[in-house]
Amino acid sequence: MPKLKLPKPPVPPLPKQLNPRPRRPGGGPPETPVDMAKEAGISVVGWVDERTSLTGPARWLMFRKVPRGTNWFYTLGSATLFAFLNQAVTGVFLAMYYDPSPTHAYESARYITNEAFLGEFVRGMHKWGSSVMVILVFLHMGRTFFFGAYKYPRELNWIIGVVLLILTMTMSFTGYLLPFDQRSYWATIVGVNINGTGPLVGPYLSDFLRAGPEFGATTLSRFYAIHMLLVPGAIAALIGAHLYLVTKLGTTAPPWLKAEEQSELREEVA
Ligand code: HEM
């Protein structure tokens, strides 16, 4: 297969807003408070850039050419990212009150909902946000599949995506136990048993999840550690790799555009 030669995009210009306006003759101060605020913003960016040269990579990352026909379906990946960030932020606040011990977990979750300041709101955002993230990740996968974005040279990004999908489902599964009420307890027993029926790795996986052959005192802390440390860390790292590949390879043009180009070609040949 011939090696794909990607055309180098020209270095994008500095966004208009970051160009300082020419000073009035005599170098007087900017006129309005809005101008002064703009100048202050530009000075801060300039100060940081002089010391880090970060605007080069930032421009490379953010100001890119996109294929003709790019539409709203292309926002589903960013929407999934936003849902993940929402889970991370609300999760940090929940962790400030939640106690993952079998004797205190239920009570601490009840405390968050009924007594902690904005607790019900933050817990609701986390609970509903988890469903939103699952729905979005499936929609985003559907978009990339139907637009043929899994094909060469983006196979690796598809594979990273599959791992992200599994990790997202793992987040939902491990989070479900944490309220530690009857429903979450029994649903988790069922879920772990289903895992145990998997070929070869199944029994090891269910032992790992239960932290032993039976559901015991350490199962909850095992789920908690997986839910708030192991999997979010892996998701964050993989999103980094996923987005690096998106910026490096660019996004796929909608398939109907390719079809149009091909019919033009056929006409030329005829
Ligand atoms: C936490 C989950 C995920 C996040 C945050 C995420 C984020 C993104 C973003 C921001 C983009 C660029 C914009 C776009 O095309 O929407 C993208 C592109 C892509 N994603 Fe994901 N993604 C996730 C999961 C997945 C999954 C589950 C798959 C497939 C199994 C996948 C496959 C792809 C592919 C192939 C592209 C390139 C699209 C193209 O070339 O047009 N991603 N992703």
Side-chain angles (χ1 to χ4, degrees), residues 4 62 69 79 89 94 125 162 164 166 169 190 207 216-217 256 267:
L4 179 87
M62 295 167 80
V89 172
L94 292 176
M125 290 279 284
V162 172
L164 279 170
I166 294 168
M169 303 310 283
V190 172
D207 277 0
W256 51 87
E267 272 163 30

Side-chain angles (χ1 to χ4, degrees), residues 67 71-84 133 136-138 140-145 147-151 154-168 235-236 238-239 242-243 245-247 249-254:
N71 55 40
W72 280 98
F73 292 115
Y74 286 73
T75 59
L76 288 166
S78 313
T80 315
L81 177 62
F82 183 76
F84 173 68
M133 184 172 171
L136 285 173
V137 80
F138 273 102
H140 169 61
M141 183 174 71
R143 197 292 282 171
T144 51
F145 177 74
F147 282 39
Y150 56 87
K151 294 180 196 168
R154 298 184 179 82
E155 302 96 320
L156 184 59
N157 220 12
W158 175 265
I159 292 167
I160 293 175
V162 172
V163 180
L164 279 170
L165 180 74
I166 294 168
L167 291 179
T168 306
I235 291 185
L238 285 175
I239 287 180
H242 199 62
L243 294 188
L245 287 179
V246 170
T247 37
L249 302 170
T251 45
T252 310

Side-chain angles (χ1 to χ4, degrees), residues 37-218:
K38 271 189 192 163
E39 291 277 326
I42 291 167
S43 310
V44 172
V45 174
W47 191 91
V48 174
D49 191 39
E50 215 176 318
R51 284 151 186 85
T52 60
S53 303
L54 268 180
T55 52
R59 268 192 277 171
W60 175 81
L61 193 73
M62 295 167 80
F63 295 92
R64 309 189 64 82
K65 288 190 184 296
V66 293
R68 200 153 49 92
T70 296
N71 55 40
W72 280 98
F73 292 115
Y74 286 73
T75 59
L76 288 166
S78 313
T80 315
L81 177 62
F82 183 76
F84 173 68
L85 293 178
N86 170 65
Q87 293 307 95
V89 172
T90 50
V92 167
F93 286 107
L94 292 176
M96 290 179 187
Y97 293 95
Y98 180 72
D99 181 349
S101 74
T103 44
H104 293 103
Y106 179 80
E107 172 52 26
S108 66
R110 194 204 58 77
Y111 177 85
I112 292 172
T113 302
N114 296 337
E115 279 156 70
F117 176 64
L118 290 181
E120 190 174 7
F121 174 70
V122 175
R123 196 173 162 196
M125 290 279 284
H126 198 75
K127 188 199 151 160
W128 288 103
S130 71
S131 303
V132 168
M133 184 172 171
V134 169
I135 292 168
L136 285 173
V137 80
F138 273 102
L139 289 176
H140 169 61
M141 183 174 71
R143 197 292 282 171
T144 51
F145 177 74
F146 286 114
F147 282 39
Y150 56 87
K151 294 180 196 168
Y152 178 82
R154 298 184 179 82
E155 302 96 320
L156 184 59
N157 220 12
W158 175 265
I159 292 167
I160 293 175
V162 172
V163 180
L164 279 170
L165 180 74
I166 294 168
L167 291 179
T168 306
M169 303 310 283
T170 311
M171 286 299 279
S172 297
F173 178 59
T174 50
Y176 205 80
L177 178 64
L178 304 185
F180 220 53
D181 51 19
Q182 286 289 328
R183 187 168 49 174
S184 61
Y185 176 79
W186 291 108
T188 303
I189 300 253
V190 172
V192 172
N193 287 345
I194 293 174
N195 271 294
T197 61
L200 300 175
V201 289
Y204 299 103
L205 190 60
S206 56
D207 277 0
F208 170 74
L209 287 170
R210 275 188 302 248
E214 296 294 337
F215 196 108
T218 43

